[in-house]
Amino acid sequence: MFRPLLLRLLPLTLAREFSHIPKLAAGQKPFHLDSSDDVDIVTGSRFYGLKTFANLPYVHCFSGDGASAPEAFDIAFIGAPFDTIDNPYVLKGVTARPGARYGPGGIRTGSQRMGAEFAWSVYTGRNPLKSWATVVDCGDAPLVWLDNTVAIKQLDKAHRVVSGRKAANTSYSVTPRIITLGGDHTTTLSALRSTHKSWGPVSVVHFDSHLDTWDPKVLGGDISDYASINYLNLGWSLTHGSRLRQNLILNSSIHAGIRAPLSRAKGDMRNDLRCGFHTIKARDLDRIGAAGVISQIKERVGDSKVYISVDIDVLDPAFAPATGTAEPGGWSTRELLTILDGLIGLEVVGADVVEVAPIYDNPGETTVLAAAEVAFSFLELMVETPVKSLAD
């Protein structure tokens, strides 16, 4: 029935495709490419070469003694491809689904549309890639996967070497800052050790659905040598009750976005206070708005130096399904980015986005896209507010 009609329409379709030559603008010349013409294979695309965060230059930052970097930089992205499975004989850094070791690559994939020439914020009017800071991607720290203790020592050394380089623009600071792409939340420990050495104790602004400061005794055990590494899987928990007590953070730290169930009605919160934290719950946003959350965070940390850690599960699973322990009832991507933008002016000396497990993402890659935006927000905060280190 329809075949005669289609046969009559086909010539009209073909005729329309080749019926005229497109009009050229004034001064524009027609471009005809043949086999003898040369083409540019160096610039002009965001989808070529090594996959770096926001198409930044790649620098091999982990070699040498820390003083002989081939290229100097002020802010470096490094990947921490680390997570651990539920194994009774090793440290457990993942409380549910493993896969965050692939997070750094996923976050870089989510950042591929970003680049210096197209990074002006419609909200702030700033472009951190067109400012004073030299920003690079150091790639992933090479971590073994069979021995967690060795892996953490390797990540410690990677942070130590990268932060030990001499910054490119020493009038701002002689010490470069690091943004870590995780990896599970254990990786924050190495970052905190690094920032403590270069800047001293910090206030931690921790975005998460979980407190992550549980006393191991309520989970069925004491603090073994393995468990004391992350107690339970966060470096800042080492400030209370651990044989590895290191005083890495100040008692002016704060959680934001908390909503996961507790193991004890009141005991978990009491323990959390002893760890130095106050708490903003996820539903507090409905009552005080983003401006209220920003105000509470700034009031809590005061004029101290700040480390920001974002567990991507602070977002609702509708926005970030690709994570180890998803909790319904979280914030939207827009709400989180609004709050991060509102922290402008804080002296951010280090930051991470963790617990991204790309295998659980959807075809639209909403989780890795969100994580990339979070990491870019860190960059904007750092560029806007330079911070002098202890070495300055």
Side-chain angles (χ1 to χ4, degrees), residues 8 38 53 59 71 76 123 139-140 156 168-170 175 182 203 211 218 233 235 241 247 279 289 295 312 329-330 353:
R8 288 196 299 270
D38 194 15
F53 184 85
V59 173
E71 297 178 50
Y123 298 107
D140 291 351
D156 285 349
N169 295 288
T170 55
T175 305
S203 297
L211 290 174
V218 307
N233 64 356
N247 297 314
T279 298
S295 177
I312 204 64
V353 54

Side-chain angles (χ1 to χ4, degrees), residues 2 69 113 172 228 354:
F2 297 102
R113 74 194 188 288
Y172 292 93
S228 63
V354 298

Side-chain angles (χ1 to χ4, degrees), residues 16-17 32 35 40 53 64 130 203 227 266 315 336 354 383:
R16 181 176 181 180
E17 184 176 359
H32 301 289
S35 59
D40 180 11
F53 184 85
K130 288 282 191 178
S203 297
K266 296 181 179 180
L315 299 179
L336 176 60
V354 298
V383 170

Side-chain angles (χ1 to χ4, degrees), residues 232-245:
L232 213 147
N233 64 356
L234 288 176
W236 47 82
S237 296
L238 294 173
T239 59
H240 170 69
S242 170
R243 279 182 279 172
L244 293 181
R245 181 181 177 92

Side-chain angles (χ1 to χ4, degrees), residues 10 40 51 61 95 101 110 113 131 135 164 168 171 185 191 204 208 224 240 251 262 313 328-329 333 375:
L10 184 59
D40 180 11
K51 185 179 293 183
C61 311
T95 54
R101 70 184 62 186
R113 74 194 188 288
S131 188
V135 188
S171 60
H185 228 148
V204 172
D208 204 321
S224 68
H240 170 69
N251 288 328
L262 305 175
D313 72 24
T333 307

Side-chain angles (χ1 to χ4, degrees), residues 76 131 269 323 339 357:
S131 188
M269 299 306 296
T323 189
I339 293 167

